[in-house]
Amino acid sequence: MRRRAQGELEAQVLAVVRAGGGPVTAGWVRERLEGGLAHTTVITILSRLHEKNAVTRTRAGRSYTWTNASDEAGLAALRMRRVLDGERDREAVLARFVSALTPGDEERLRALLSRDAQAGPDPADPTEGR
């Protein structure tokens, strides 16, 4: 059996949860994943996704049902944010990130920042102003 790349299993689990179209159980997710994962492994991945705000969970008896809260782009953004949060010099990290962008990506980023600046802060986002 080949070893999965970092984040690959999380992405697969998230895709299965999204395909459910609503609340799903860990057992339901496990049945749809390849590789014969243990139930506890699926629970661990779902719990990690919950900690990253990529899925929500609702108590259902002694277990939970899981619902998608983020798409693949959202999950990638959460990973990027976690890396940034772990660095002391955020400005240096952001400067290096921006300087490494392709011209097309830099233009996209400028357009997104301009659009967000015009829209103003999101009152529902507790991280605004960081």
Side-chain angles (χ1 to χ4, degrees):
M1 186 183 280
R2 78 170 181 83
R3 184 161 174 83
R4 289 181 177 89
Q6 184 177 3
E8 184 179 349
L9 184 54
E10 284 184 353
Q12 290 172 350
V13 169
L14 190 59
V16 170
V17 172
R18 260 198 326 270
V24 297
T25 65
W28 187 90
V29 171
R30 182 178 174 266
E31 289 172 2
R32 284 151 182 82
L33 289 171
E34 294 180 12
L37 296 173
H39 185 75
T40 54
T41 301
V42 175
I43 293 289
T44 299
I45 297 301
L46 286 166
S47 296
R48 288 180 183 164
L49 289 168
H50 180 257
E51 289 170 8
K52 296 175 183 180
N53 298 315
V55 297
T56 60
R57 69 182 180 193
T58 304
R59 181 65 80 176
R62 295 187 310 158
S63 62
Y64 294 100
T65 57
W66 306 85
T67 306
N68 179 54
S70 183
D71 57 11
E72 288 181 38
L75 186 56
L78 289 169
R79 284 194 303 264
M80 292 166 62
R81 177 63 181 266
R82 195 170 60 242
V83 168
L84 185 60
D85 286 347
E87 297 296 324
R88 274 195 256 198
D89 191 347
R90 295 172 74 90
E91 186 173 336
V93 173
L94 286 168
R96 294 275 175 108
F97 176 76
V98 170
S99 68
L101 291 173
T102 65
D105 284 343
E106 184 177 346
E107 193 58 39
R108 284 182 199 88
L109 181 58
R110 287 183 190 281
L112 288 168
L113 290 171
S114 175
R115 183 187 74 193
D116 285 351
Q118 291 173 2
D122 180 356
D125 185 353
T127 63
E128 267 314 307
R130 273 193 182 178

